[in-house]
Amino acid sequence: MTFDSPVRPWASPELTSWQRLPMHAVDRRPGSVSLDGTWRFQLLPAPDAEPGRQWDEAPVPGCWTMHDPRDLPHYTNVRMPFPHHPPLVPDANPTGVYEREFEVPSEWAGRRTVLHVGAAESVLVADIDGAPVGIGKDSHLASEFDITAAVRPGGRHTLRLTVVKWSDASHIEDQDQWWHGGITRSVSLHTTDVLYLDDVAVRAGHDGELRVDCRVRGPLDDGWSVSGELEGYGELVQDTAHDAGNRALGRVSAFLGEARLSAIVSGVRTWSAESPSLYGLTVRLHRPDGSVADTSYQRIGFRTVEIRGRDLLVNGDRVLIRGVNRHDFHPLTGRVVTEPDMRADLVTMKRFGFNAVRTSHYPNDPMLLDLADELGLYVVDEADIESHDHAHEIADDPRYLPAFVDRVSRMVLRDKNHPSVIVWSLGNESDYGAHHDAAAAWVRRHDPTRPVQYEGAARTDWASTEIASDIVCPMYASLGEITAHARSGEQTKPLILCEYSHAMGNSNGTLADHWAEIETTPGLQGGFIWEFRDHGILQRTADGRPAGPAATPGAYADGITAPGYRWAYGGDFGDTPNDGVFCADGMVFPDRTPKPAMYEHRELAAPVQLSYDPVTRTATVHNRQYVRDLAWLRAEWLIGGEEAGNRTVPAELPGVSPGASAPIALPAGISELSGLPEAPGLPADGGELWLTLRVTTAADQSWAPAGTEICTPTVRLRERTAAWPPPAPVGGAVETDADGLLVHPLLTAPPVLGLWRAPTDNDLLGGAAGRWRDWGLDALVRKPVSVTRDGEGRVTAVAEYPTTAGTVVHEQTFTARADGSLLVEEAATLPEALHDVARVGSVLETAAGLDTMEWYGPGPWESYPDRCAGGAVARHRAPVDALFTPYLRPQESGGRGGVRSFTLTGADGSGLAVRLDAPRQVSVTRHRAADLAAAAHHDELTPLDRCVVHIDAAHRGLGTASCGPDTLPPYLVVPGTHRWSWTVRPV
């Protein structure tokens, strides 16, 4: 293959495109002719290699890395996948050649014909009938080429699209994601009259002022004009039309013209994430005889974005940004995502309380912005710029200046009319240099209606006013750092974290702590969790290849893959170098199943909060929204009692305006509950009593059908007033072996001390796991010291557990009760050198055949000490197999915090029941911690036929130390003496 273009496009950073049309905001999708489908395909070893005569087939859009075994997906985070410095690339450079025939409709005669390629990774060369028509170099923005001179209406032509994988541009697309190759968005043809709307720019403020600026190209004969119509309003007013030299048209002919339409819309419905009101806007270009030459239709929203002091305002309101970062990803198609895929992503975000999305780290398909406009999500639109591995070299390298400005400006030109876009981002992790200042200056001149942000600009000085960022948007700053800045008196800009709470594996600890500070500290305004979705690719274990679009139906569901498949991450395709499981850092699994942390976020972002005053015995609901009242919601009460179980009764939500509060009527009898037994139908056992308001949608929303659960705020009405567990007379014998280990018919392995957990990703990358192994906590050896019995049959066993940091002394006292239960009282003393361990508690294994757990405590999903805001305290029930959370790399999971009691039973209802002395961290799984730690994937695990049970007096928080801060000091397990007790009895 040879290129007739002036230079080799994959090796020249100064060349950003050739014959590529300017970007615009006119939607040409209606009436276009799709060229998607199955194309002829060849994968060549390098761009200079000549195609052969033998053709394979490939889907368009599609990534060849997902179906061609000669070039498989490759995952790196910071490192480039090859050692060359910019702008150099390897000689071995996979190149895909796509070819097909197409016909130009005969009715397009005398009109323009434009080829649209939605995206190609990373260099695109387009040829028609063997002649080049254009080059595009940008993996995430469309390339359009005017091919009028190259085609004949009614004629049949051959279109060849050549895609070169590695280029100088790869060095500024060094994002934390899989490297792919292919045509990743749709290909189409569209037509316009020779006189056409070249661009339409809309400014619509929340005060109802509308301005529409039109750019027109073509033979501008005297008397051309534009007209506009706004849905529900009527015709817009046209100002005088001008050519590019600002000469009034109607007297002067020109090729480029400009015109403005305007209106003042009274009683306008404003657009916001809560209430995304849209208006249809139609713009028409008229020839001198009044006939219509071109039409543009788009949905617009009236809203205003501004920064006032330290606050980002939307429509004049300071709105907390509850955001998440999102990549284009699908486990079967890689970078290729459809409209239903994008809708499902955004619907899931909305249902779990997110109100913003950052398009990390490139512009998304325009369909995503259409959906954000429709569903209601604020968007930080980010340019396709990240030079992570060579950031400092490139930031001021003049060869890359055109690419920086081109990518930022084309994004703004395309997306400027979307009300959902509230901030422009100059890219990500690319140091800070002259290129950023140049790009920011262009944006501020072209679109002063939105702020600009760039994390790298503010990295060294959050208080600076002389930088290319209107927002301080740090990544993974600690809670202490951001609160100290907000309270320093030096803050000059809003602080909105562009990345925080890294969701890798079992993670997102201290999310509630962050939001407690954000909601109460002026100057802090939210952030974007990293990230939305795990990038696990469905892999066939038989041959190690991607399963591809033809995967067997049912190959994955609920985060779990079927036999013969697994979720692949870095290194699983033989990709070297790689960054392993670091791509599995989403709030949802690859199949979009929510992880437990999603429920944590949902409650923290809930539109409704509930509080209870035990003195007045009154409850209050708080509307935390900015625009809507509570009329779109319904509710019911869930009364959770320790002994009486759960009871559901209707609730009546009061009409509460945004930001206001109002009392809510409690269920009958609740207000009298202070331990009085006469409260009708309610538990009077002296146990805890919790009240949960289950809030659902009252009617269908664009993102949720009626009855969708929105949140479950919970309050405690009564603390336990009776002894727990209730005393029973001592009676019966306790059986132990000679070393003091308990022998019990319900247990296959006795309770021993546990100080270690199968390391989470945060434990491994944050350093805690290595420290625990150095101490020997993963291989504790019990050394018996003494076994004694008292006159009532109690047995006390003392044992030591040597570690490299000192000896842990563990004491257990076993007492048999006359009711058949066994009381286990334990104490463990940790030396000062063991300053931060994973847990302190008991680990045991039950008899086989117990497959159902019922517990009283928060639930039903997994929770941990620093991630425990997402579950209602009530009685919950689940299969044991469903308690385990299948994070892509096996690790500690399935824990339930704050458990008061639980039972494990088999199919016949028999089993064991455990009561705890206080709310404790409990986990019940089919896997030992050592087995989890040894496995790289879940298909390497063999579940046990019994339950592995951990009862912890203390358990370390999760934090987010895989990328960002570790857990906070209150959630660390410290040295000293820890005491806990529990009672087990047969069911």
Side-chain angles (χ1 to χ4, degrees), residues 478-501:
S478 72
L479 188 55
E481 288 172 324
I482 63 174
T483 53
H485 176 66
R487 295 166 181 162
S488 67
E490 299 178 355
Q491 184 179 3
T492 59
K493 302 176 179 182
L495 193 153
I496 303 171
L497 294 145
C498 72
E499 296 177 22
Y500 80 110
S501 194

Side-chain angles (χ1 to χ4, degrees), residues 746 821-822 850 854 901-905 910-916 982-987:
L746 297 175
S821 64
L822 178 75
L850 306 183
E854 185 173 320
S901 62
F902 65 92
T903 63
L904 295 170
T905 55
S910 66
L912 59 85
V914 174
R915 283 184 169 180
L916 307 171
W982 47 283
T983 300
V984 60
R985 64 175 177 83
V987 174

Side-chain angles (χ1 to χ4, degrees), residues 945-956:
D945 63 355
R946 71 209 74 159
C947 299
V948 179
V949 180
H950 284 270
I951 301 171
D952 293 330
H955 194 103
R956 191 184 196 274

